[in-house]
Amino acid sequence: MLTFAEEFLLLAHDEETGDFAEMGFPVMSSILAGAALMDLALQGRIDSDPRHHLILLDPTPVEEPILDFCLARIAEARESQSIQDWIRTLGTHGARLRSLAIDRLLGRGILKRADKRFLWVFHTRVYPLVDEREMVEVKRRIADILFTDDIPDPRDTFLLALAERSGLLTEVFSQAVAEDRRERIQQLLHLDLFGQDVNKAIRHIQLAMLSGGHGEG
């Protein structure tokens, strides 16, 4: 099973350019950190208390590089921190989180690494699709929960929350669709308490960045 970080990157992937949707590095970093925390919660490694502080339940690695990297940082901490603080802390490793998630997609044979030249001199790293099945499946799952009234799987609900919080939902579908399904989206975002904590933390970090604060930690 793909991690949330991998699924989010597939949602953000542009098949034509081989690159990912532009959303700003601090936003991407906080999203990937929040994605890792949610995976760790579902794996029974962490939880949150009534004060929204993160609790370490089990430091045993889960054999997923991005999750084990974050779990090790949490296990090393000497003081309790809120979920928001942990997203800030882990977000300072945004480049590492992105690299670990992309490497897994490469290792799974879903993406490949290539250099794209422009102006005959400069080049940038891109990641063309090798196997589109996983990306199609991720987008189909989001479409299914948007356009039906069924109660979705918790994983799909959280992935929807990440897409909505990052602004990616309008990239994958359209502004009109996002507005038309606004009530449905808000209903779904209230289904999972830990997911709500993560989503709120990401939102607070984004607001801090917009007001001139430091969302990276």
Side-chain angles (χ1 to χ4, degrees):
M1 180 182 291
L2 301 184
T3 63
F4 280 121
E6 292 170 80
E7 291 185 327
F8 180 79
L9 288 179
L10 287 180
L11 273 180
H13 188 268
D14 186 325
E15 293 180 74
E16 293 186 5
T17 66
D19 207 346
F20 302 96
E22 176 57 47
M23 63 188 69
F25 182 73
V27 173
M28 173 70 81
S29 298
S30 63
I31 291 289
L32 294 180
L37 291 184
M38 189 61 180
D39 260 322
L40 289 172
L42 291 177
Q43 293 273 4
R45 298 309 194 267
I46 61 173
D47 202 346
S48 60
D49 65 18
R51 296 180 302 156
H52 307 284
H53 277 68
L54 189 147
I55 304 169
L56 176 65
L57 300 177
D58 182 358
T60 307
V62 296
E63 306 303 327
E64 281 292 349
I66 188 171
L67 304 187
D68 290 342
F69 175 84
C70 293
L71 185 60
R73 305 288 85 71
I74 294 169
E76 292 167 357
R78 297 183 179 182
E79 297 181 0
S80 174
Q81 295 187 54
S82 69
I83 292 175
Q84 182 173 336
D85 287 338
W86 268 114
I87 289 178
R88 289 180 186 276
T89 298
L90 295 173
T92 63
H93 303 283
R96 179 73 179 275
L97 300 181
R98 182 179 183 273
S99 177
L100 288 172
I102 289 175
D103 283 349
R104 284 296 279 146
L105 290 171
L106 294 171
R108 295 182 196 274
I110 297 172
L111 301 180
K112 65 180 179 180
R113 186 179 283 114
D115 287 330
K116 181 178 180 180
R117 293 189 176 276
F118 60 100
L119 298 180
W120 303 104
V121 177
F122 305 101
H123 67 87
T124 184
R125 182 65 51 80
V126 294
Y127 301 92
L129 270 174
V130 175
D131 186 343
E132 68 174 11
R133 288 176 296 178
E134 292 287 357
M135 186 174 75
V136 170
E137 174 64 15
V138 169
K139 291 182 177 180
R140 183 195 62 77
R141 283 161 43 205
I142 298 300
D144 282 350
I145 62 176
L146 277 180
F147 299 111
T148 71
D149 294 323
D150 298 336
I151 300 299
D153 182 277
R155 289 191 63 87
D156 296 344
T157 300
F158 184 69
L159 188 59
L160 173 69
L162 294 182
E164 193 276 338
R165 177 51 45 209
S166 65
L168 190 57
L169 207 56
T170 58
E171 296 277 344
V172 177
F173 298 99
S174 69
Q175 185 68 43
V177 167
E179 289 300 325
D180 181 64
R181 303 302 292 168
R182 179 59 50 194
E183 183 177 349
R184 167 73 169 165
I185 292 168
Q186 293 306 313
Q187 289 174 345
L188 293 173
L189 298 188
H190 286 85
L191 292 179
D192 179 76
L193 293 178
F194 190 91
Q196 285 183 48
D197 285 343
V198 171
N199 198 35
K200 288 177 183 176
I202 293 171
R203 181 173 181 273
H204 288 159
I205 291 170
Q206 291 173 318
L207 290 175
M209 290 187 294
L210 289 173
S211 64
H214 300 285
E216 296 90 340

